[in-house]
Amino acid sequence: MEQKTPFKELTFSQKIQYIWDYYKIPIFLVIIGIIAVTAFIHDRLAQKNTILSVLCVNAENSTTEDSCADIFNDFLTDNGYDLSKDEIALNQNVCVDVDQSGLDYQNMAVLTAYFASNEYDICFMDDKTFDYYAKNVCFEDISKYLDKAVLEKYKDKLTYVTIDGKEYPCGIRLSADDNEFVKASGLYSSCTVGVCCDSSHDAMVKKLCGYILQ
């Protein structure tokens, strides 16, 4: 009967082979664990601080999310933010058809949930969809976020809603022909912008509104 050589008497390469033969499964599990922990730490470190969240509904020319988010870079740097750490989150992947609300139930439910959860600060929509959701109390009085000069500039493009007998301006009609931000974004030829109800970033929302409407 062949007698096994004691471990301490094995050569270095033999010891490596011995360990691999008997412990490869635990070694695999440890490696997988290290990779998982490393990936988690990397994701946490790479995660940016969200300054504001912007929603674009029914964007006409939806490109990649990251490239469109770049349209806020000048705004962020002008306000002292670090682009490697801070961002304005942009969701341009929501499409709904209010003319077929019964058939488009799932998408409309998602959009309604976004508004109910106060997840977004500013919203762009095509005019018809904006008017539909404005009647459902989804937008603030936008005049609270605009300087007098901006209000005067866009006074003929304000859109109003009446809630509980009170009429107030809830959005501004924009087009790529007369607004540089809309033109630069490439997302719409025309749209309406509004401030979502219960935004918790009033000061930054006011600044971004000024930037969009300059």
Side-chain angles (χ1 to χ4, degrees):
M1 182 176 181
E2 184 181 354
Q3 188 174 7
K4 290 185 179 180
T5 304
F7 182 79
K8 64 181 180 179
E9 295 179 11
L10 297 174
T11 65
F12 178 76
S13 60
Q14 288 174 328
K15 288 178 180 179
I16 295 298
Q17 187 62 48
Y18 178 90
I19 292 171
W20 177 250
D21 289 340
Y22 285 90
Y23 299 101
K24 57 186 174 185
I25 293 179
I27 289 172
F28 269 128
L29 294 176
V30 170
I31 291 173
I32 291 171
I34 291 173
I35 292 173
V37 170
T38 301
F40 175 78
I41 292 173
H42 179 270
D43 288 344
R44 294 290 292 178
L45 292 175
Q47 189 175 25
K48 293 184 178 181
N49 176 41
T50 300
I51 306 304
L52 291 172
S53 295
V54 176
L55 179 63
C56 293
V57 178
N58 293 342
E60 298 166 13
N61 301 302
S62 183
T63 57
T64 61
E65 191 161 341
D66 289 340
S67 65
C68 278
D70 290 346
I71 60 177
F72 299 112
N73 285 354
D74 289 344
F75 171 79
L76 289 170
T77 53
D78 289 347
N79 285 276
Y81 289 101
D82 184 341
L83 297 181
S84 67
K85 299 178 181 178
D86 305 305
E87 68 175 358
I88 291 179
L90 175 65
N91 182 350
Q92 61 194 58
N93 299 316
V94 178
C95 295
V96 299
D97 186 347
V98 294
D99 289 330
Q100 299 186 51
S101 57
L103 300 176
D104 200 19
Y105 174 79
Q106 183 175 353
N107 289 330
M108 294 192 71
V110 169
L111 183 52
T112 300
Y114 281 153
F115 285 123
S117 63
N118 305 323
E119 186 171 347
Y120 291 94
D121 301 291
I122 290 178
C123 182
F124 292 86
M125 292 180 166
D126 62 282
D127 298 346
K128 181 180 290 187
T129 305
F130 187 94
D131 293 346
Y132 177 90
Y133 278 94
K135 295 174 183 177
N136 289 280
V137 202
C138 292
F139 302 108
E140 295 272 12
D141 180 344
I142 199 170
S143 66
K144 298 188 298 183
Y145 299 90
L146 305 178
D147 295 333
K148 290 183 179 179
V150 176
L151 269 175
E152 178 64 23
K153 179 180 178 180
Y154 288 94
K155 64 181 181 181
D156 295 330
K157 298 189 176 181
L158 293 172
T159 181
Y160 292 81
V161 66
T162 300
I163 303 295
D164 295 330
K166 179 185 177 182
E167 183 183 64
Y168 62 87
C170 59
I172 297 178
R173 308 291 197 203
L174 302 175
S175 80
D177 294 330
D178 55 26
N179 181 271
E180 286 300 319
F181 182 86
V182 174
K183 181 179 179 180
S185 75
L187 292 172
Y188 298 95
S189 57
S190 63
C191 61
T192 305
V193 62
V195 177
C196 300
C197 280
D198 299 320
S199 169
S200 57
H201 308 100
D202 285 0
M204 286 305 298
V205 167
K206 185 173 182 177
K207 287 183 178 181
L208 185 56
C209 284
Y211 178 79
I212 292 169
L213 300 168
Q214 62 185 342

